[in-house]
Structures are given as C-alpha cells and as structure tokens.
Amino acid sequence: MRPDWNQYFMDIAELVKTRSTCLRRQVGAVIVKDKRILTTGYNGAPSGMRHCLELGGCLREQMKVPSGERHELCRALHAEQNAIIQAAYHGISIQGGTMYVTLQPCSLCAKMAVNAGIEKIVFKGSYPDELSMAILQEAGIELVLYKD
C-alpha cells in the first residue's frame, strides 16, 4: 500500500536517525516544504569531532543526568538543530516548512524551529520537556503527534 505523506516523511526520518552517533537515543529529523525534502539531520557530535563512543561513553549517562535536563553537557547536536543548520549552511530557506522528527523536540529545538519559521511539526514519542510544547503552542506552530 502506498504511504500517505506523513508516513512517507516519518519513514525517512526513521532512516535518517540510523546515522546517529548518540549512545542514549537516536533521533532523526526531516524538513519538508511543498512535499519536497529540504534538509535532514540526526543527533551526534559536530562535524569532524569525536563521538561519545570514541571518548569512552556518554558524559550525561556517567553523571546520571535525567532525560530532558542539562543539554549543555552533551557533545551532540540534536537532529532538529542539525537539520536547521544544514539549511543555513546551504542557503536553503525553511520558512513555512514542516519538520518531521522521531521524538518530541526539546525547548532548545523548539526555540530554533520558531525562529527558523517552521510552521508545523509532526513528531513521534514524548520528551520530558513541558516548556517545549508551551513554546511551540504559543508560537502558533501546528503540532501533530504521529501514530504508526
């Protein structure tokens, strides 16, 4: 059976996340406009830098930091951040776009999505960050919880 657009783009986000180098959680993001893929991103260390596995493990795991807290201790960029950065790097406007992401965005990614002009976010799974949802709702970004 032919997938609808949401399933199609979410399936691609699921594939993108397989490139993740994060030891805690793999996340993939796809930014789309007019049913065309503009950028993708997955969570991992900045380009050319060593990944946590190469450094002996995840610092946040070693410090027993709960999920959704102390993002500044993580070497990785989030999938949403990488997708937005890729657009900027290549001079692609994502204003008015839709972001498909395999996990609810955190508050940092929510703020970036707002300022990047993302109009809709389709996401799977919840993340323990209530502020992110409040930010996205206040900004008027359409939120769609994707269900398989």
Side-chain angles (χ1 to χ4, degrees), residues 26-91:
Q26 292 185 318
V27 181
V30 176
I31 300 177
V32 174
K33 189 171 181 182
D34 299 324
K35 298 180 182 165
R36 301 290 180 254
I37 296 171
L38 301 177
T39 65
T40 65
Y42 53 86
N43 55 329
S47 297
M49 294 184 66
R50 291 178 294 162
H51 306 291
C52 293
L53 185 60
E54 298 168 310
L55 295 170
C58 172
L59 179 61
R60 292 178 74 229
E61 282 292 319
Q62 293 165 2
M63 296 176 70
K64 298 185 181 357
V65 175
S67 182
E69 296 179 15
R70 306 287 318 268
H71 298 285
E72 74 277 6
L73 295 176
C74 182
R75 285 183 69 79
L77 289 138
H78 289 186
E80 304 94 321
Q81 294 167 339
N82 272 325
I84 291 168
I85 290 165
Q86 284 301 308
Y89 186 86
H90 293 288

Side-chain angles (χ1 to χ4, degrees), residues 1-2 9 12 19 21 30 33 63-64 84 105 109:
M1 182 184 290
R2 188 174 188 210
F9 293 124
I12 293 170
R19 292 283 305 151
T21 59
V30 176
K33 189 171 181 182
M63 296 176 70
K64 298 185 181 357
I84 291 168
C109 292

